[in-house]
Amino acid sequence: MHKPCRDVTEFGPDLAALIADMFLTMYIADGAGLAANQVGVDLRVFVYDCPDDDGVRHVGHIVNPVLDPVDASRRRLLDDAEGCLSVPGATLHVPRPDRAVVRGFDRDGEPLVIEGTGYFARCLAHEADHCDGRLYPDRLSARERKAALRQTADRRDEVLARRAADIAALNA
């Protein structure tokens, strides 16, 4: 997880199948987003199903995402709780810009621009970070990283049991 992912160079049925599988995995894990490297695939791809702060649901994917830098004079940071499927059970506050623009491609190779505000912006930035080899604890102080690891250890069994129940429900 701590190395940048490779760019996707082939678009087609294999990529479409990966994206479909990632959505299923994200839903089983009760996530708002999932990057390919979180399922062991070294490609710059992520999926999301995430509301914005107005309650509008955003569902989609992006291939070879690049997060636009935010002009410092227009940047407003929101320090809010953030979790991650790769750091199960841990939730800590992480400052992120209140707006995000991600550029890339859809699964067919067509150019795509996704813009989000509030919680959806947080999701886009979080998943783009994964493609760049970063986890949200990498943005925290050493003390906060230790707290995230403690939370993960304390809640691991609960999280894994919930995920197993979700898989069983899908197979029923």
Side-chain angles (χ1 to χ4, degrees):
M1 292 289 303
H2 280 102
K3 68 175 191 135
C5 296
R6 295 180 301 115
D7 280 343
V8 171
T9 57
E10 293 184 30
F11 296 81
D14 288 344
L15 179 61
L18 170 64
I19 290 168
D21 183 60
M22 288 172 61
F23 270 109
L24 180 61
T25 301
M26 178 183 68
Y27 291 137
I28 288 170
D30 197 28
L34 184 74
N37 58 351
Q38 291 180 278
V39 293
V41 178
D42 180 27
L43 291 174
R44 295 182 65 81
V45 179
F46 70 78
V47 299
Y48 56 87
D49 186 341
C50 182
D52 61 24
D53 286 354
D54 295 324
V56 176
R57 182 179 175 201
H58 300 269
V59 180
H61 68 277
I62 190 159
V63 178
N64 297 337
V66 175
L67 181 66
D68 282 0
V70 179
D71 184 304
S73 67
R74 297 180 47 181
R75 184 175 72 181
R76 187 173 142 240
L77 291 179
L78 299 177
D79 191 7
D80 207 349
E82 192 163 323
C84 180
L85 299 177
S86 294
V87 190
T91 304
L92 290 165
H93 280 247
V94 180
R96 297 243 190 217
D98 67 339
R99 182 174 184 278
V101 177
V102 179
R103 298 175 191 281
F105 302 91
D106 68 14
R107 67 180 177 208
D108 300 315
E110 296 298 319
L112 188 61
V113 177
I114 304 166
E115 297 183 45
T117 59
Y119 183 68
F120 183 44
R122 177 174 297 278
C123 177
L124 293 172
H126 178 108
E127 298 307 328
D129 266 1
H130 282 315
C131 292
D132 291 335
R134 284 190 298 269
L135 295 165
Y136 87 85
D138 298 332
R139 295 187 171 278
L140 302 173
S141 69
R143 187 185 68 188
E144 292 168 321
R145 278 193 299 277
K146 286 180 186 176
L149 292 175
R150 274 193 308 275
Q151 286 181 21
T152 295
D154 292 346
R155 298 176 182 158
R156 182 176 195 80
D157 291 341
E158 172 191 337
V159 170
L160 294 178
R162 188 175 57 244
R163 289 180 184 174
D166 289 346
I167 291 169
L170 281 175
N171 292 327

